[in-house]
């Protein structure tokens, strides 16, 4: 219904034109990041020949099918919005090499099969979304070099994706993947003392006293096995901090 939900900032053609930057490589980038945009501005169709668009850090929920008009797009950054699904027309952007969809609300159903038509795509970031599975068809993105899948709910990565020929970096951290489950800590065969309790012999029962005496005998055996004093280096000129403290504590008190 009209009037409900955030209205967002209205982007006019004049504002959009002023947001175009020419990069060192000669590409034109439309920079509309952090503008409070809630809907894709239709006026951007007047700038459909730009090579790069940055619409990150806005409040976009939907990318309209008019995205197909931006056939020159090489670089598209949509991270940190509220996008739940992509239109099938995203697959028409054949020149796209970089697509950042990180930190949205994408589900597995929200990834259209046409995404696999982006044959020149080299970087795809799908991290921080709501993905439970990854389509095996993503294995057709043969030019993919970087793939971000971190912070989702993935329990398996398709073999077709793992075996992508040019894939160099795949971030799958913080997913419930079995192969990345935390390994059990190795059993420590050496007993570590975490707590030490001091009691008198008279307070121990006969069983506990016998146990303590047995452990003490084992400790004496270990001490007998250690090298004698002659095998240790001797530093006669050094004093322990506590001995020095005892000698000077009266002087400190006076001061």
């Amino acid at each position: 219904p009209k009037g409900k939900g955030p209205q967002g900032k209205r982007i006019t053609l004049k504002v959009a034109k002023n947001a175009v930057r020419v990069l060192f490589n000669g590409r034109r980038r439309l920079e509309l990041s952090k503008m409070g945009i809630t809907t894709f501005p239709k006026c951007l169709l007047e700038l459909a020949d730009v090579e790069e668009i940055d619409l990150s850090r806005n409040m976009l929920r939907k990318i309209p099918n008019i995205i197909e008009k931006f056939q020159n797009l090489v670089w598209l950054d949509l991270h940190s919005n509220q996008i739940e699904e992509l239109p099938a027309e995203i697959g028409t952007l054949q020149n796209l090499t970089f697509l950042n969809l990180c930190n949205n609300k994408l589900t597995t159903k929200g990834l259209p099969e046409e995404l696999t038509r982006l044959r020149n795509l080299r970087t795809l970031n799908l991290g921080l979304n709501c993905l439970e599975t990854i389509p095996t068809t993503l294995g057709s993105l043969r030019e993919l070099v970087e793939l971000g899948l971190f912070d989702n709910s993935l329990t398996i990565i398709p073999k077709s994706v793992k075996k992508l020929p040019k894939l160099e970096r795949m971030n799958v951290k913080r997913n419930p993947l079995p192969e990345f489950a935390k390994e059990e800590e190795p059993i420590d065969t050496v007993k570590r003392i975490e707590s030490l309790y001091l009691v008198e012999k008279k307070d121990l029962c006969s069983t506990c006293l016998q146990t303590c005496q047995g452990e003490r005998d084992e400790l004496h055996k270990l001490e007998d096995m250690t090298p004698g004093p002659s095998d240790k280096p001797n530093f006669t000129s050094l004093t322990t901090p506590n001995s020095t403290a005892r000698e000077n504590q009266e002087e400190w008190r006076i001061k």
Side-chain angles (χ1 to χ4, degrees), residues 4 8 17-18 22 28 57 62 64 68 71 74 84 93-95 99 105 125 142 155 173 176 181 200 229 231 255:
K4 287 193 175 182
K17 285 182 176 180
N18 289 335
V22 179
R28 291 161 300 161
R57 299 185 178 93
K62 185 179 179 181
E68 65 182 350
Q71 287 298 306
V74 176
E84 298 177 358
L93 306 180
Q94 295 294 300
N95 292 315
L99 178 57
K105 296 182 178 180
N125 193 345
R142 312 289 288 179
T155 57
K173 292 180 179 179
E200 295 185 14
D231 298 328
K255 290 183 179 180

Side-chain angles (χ1 to χ4, degrees), residues 14-164:
K14 181 179 179 181
V15 171
K17 285 182 176 180
N18 289 335
V20 175
R21 304 286 182 270
V22 179
L23 307 180
F24 288 111
N25 57 13
R27 293 180 188 168
R28 291 161 300 161
R29 177 180 294 182
L30 180 56
E31 296 184 350
L32 294 174
S33 179
K34 296 184 288 186
M35 298 287 285
I37 303 171
T38 57
T39 56
F40 192 91
K42 290 184 179 180
C43 67
L44 298 188
L45 288 173
E46 298 293 330
L47 302 170
D49 58 344
V50 296
E51 292 85 10
E52 301 188 3
I53 294 180
D54 183 359
L55 279 167
S56 64
R57 299 185 178 93
N58 283 293
M59 295 179 286
L60 292 169
R61 292 185 177 274
K62 185 179 179 181
I63 300 300
N65 54 16
I66 59 173
I67 194 69
E68 65 182 350
K69 301 296 183 181
F70 296 80
Q71 287 298 306
N72 290 339
L73 273 187
V74 176
W75 191 92
L76 179 59
D77 193 347
L78 298 170
H79 86 267
S80 301
N81 279 282
Q82 299 177 33
I83 302 169
E84 298 177 358
E85 62 179 348
L86 296 173
E89 287 76 10
I90 194 81
T92 66
L93 306 180
Q94 295 294 300
N95 292 315
L96 206 61
T97 63
F98 176 95
L99 178 57
N100 189 355
L101 294 162
C102 173
N103 193 20
N104 277 285
K105 296 182 178 180
L106 287 168
T107 62
T108 304
K109 292 182 179 179
L111 298 180
E113 185 178 349
E114 288 77 7
L115 192 65
T116 60
R117 294 173 57 189
L118 302 176
R119 301 303 172 118
N120 291 309
L121 200 62
R122 294 173 57 84
T123 299
L124 175 61
N125 193 345
L126 294 170
L128 277 167
N129 276 285
C130 307
L131 303 174
E132 295 183 351
T133 58
I134 291 295
T136 57
T137 51
L138 284 186
S140 62
L141 299 177
R142 312 289 288 179
E143 296 298 316
L144 209 59
V145 176
E146 296 182 70
L147 177 60
L149 299 172
F150 54 91
D151 292 289
N152 279 287
S153 301
L154 303 174
T155 57
I156 188 172
I157 304 297
K159 290 183 179 179
S160 60
V161 175
K162 289 182 179 179
K163 295 182 178 180
L164 282 168

Side-chain angles (χ1 to χ4, degrees), residues 144-201:
L144 209 59
V145 176
E146 296 182 70
L147 177 60
L149 299 172
F150 54 91
D151 292 289
N152 279 287
S153 301
L154 303 174
T155 57
I156 188 172
I157 304 297
K159 290 183 179 179
S160 60
V161 175
K162 289 182 179 179
K163 295 182 178 180
L164 282 168
K166 296 186 179 180
L167 192 63
E168 296 178 1
R169 291 175 292 278
M170 182 171 65
N171 188 344
V172 294
K173 292 180 179 179
R174 294 176 294 279
N175 278 285
L177 293 164
E179 59 262 44
F180 293 98
K182 186 177 180 181
E183 297 181 0
E184 293 184 4
E185 294 184 2
I187 298 175
D188 193 349
T189 55
V190 180
K191 293 182 178 179
R192 311 289 180 180
I193 298 177
E194 296 182 357
S195 300
L196 179 64
Y197 301 95
L198 300 178
V199 295
E200 295 185 14
K201 281 186 179 181

Side-chain angles (χ1 to χ4, degrees), residues 205-222:
C205 65
S206 58
T207 304
C208 294
L209 181 60
Q210 186 178 359
T211 301
C212 291
Q213 288 175 338
E215 291 182 355
R216 185 176 59 185
D217 293 340
E218 290 293 326
L219 182 61
H220 288 329
K221 288 180 182 179
L222 289 173

